[in-house]
């Protein structure tokens, strides 16, 4: 195994680990924000609205981000 292979494996492990931790953090943050909104407002509907807003915001941001990545590539 060459030194390039070793470095690539290490980078891949770091990327996978950070992706898993980041996804877990986003999921936990979304769940907690929904619960906090529901508790503070005494309304489950407001809790659902918080979660819906987060999902819609991510969906709306994904479209321009995908266009930008298609136009300029993912690296920049």
């Amino acid at each position: 195994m060459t030194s390039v292979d070793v470095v690539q494996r290490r980078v891949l492990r770091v990327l996978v680990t950070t992706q898993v931790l980041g996804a877990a953090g986003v999921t936990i943050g979304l769940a907690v924000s929904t619960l906090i909104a529901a508790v503070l407002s005494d309304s489950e509907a407001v809790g659902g609205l918080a979660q819906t807003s987060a999902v819609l915001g991510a969906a709306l941001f994904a479209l321009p981000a995908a266009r930008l990545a298609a136009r300029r590539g993912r690296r920049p």
Side-chain angles (χ1 to χ4, degrees):
M1 189 176 305
T2 66
S3 63
V4 172
D5 292 335
V6 172
V7 170
Q8 285 180 342
R9 284 181 182 266
R10 181 168 186 248
V11 167
L12 184 62
R13 278 195 306 266
V14 169
L15 288 174
V16 167
T17 302
T18 56
Q19 184 66 31
V20 168
L21 291 175
V26 168
T27 303
I28 291 168
L30 185 58
V32 169
S33 68
T34 300
L35 292 173
I36 289 173
V39 168
L40 289 177
S41 67
D42 282 333
S43 170
E44 290 181 7
V46 173
L49 181 63
Q51 186 173 10
T52 301
S53 298
V55 171
L56 286 176
L60 290 174
F61 179 73
L63 294 173
R67 284 191 193 124
L68 181 66
R71 203 172 328 126
R72 295 189 180 172
R74 294 185 299 174
R75 288 191 183 246

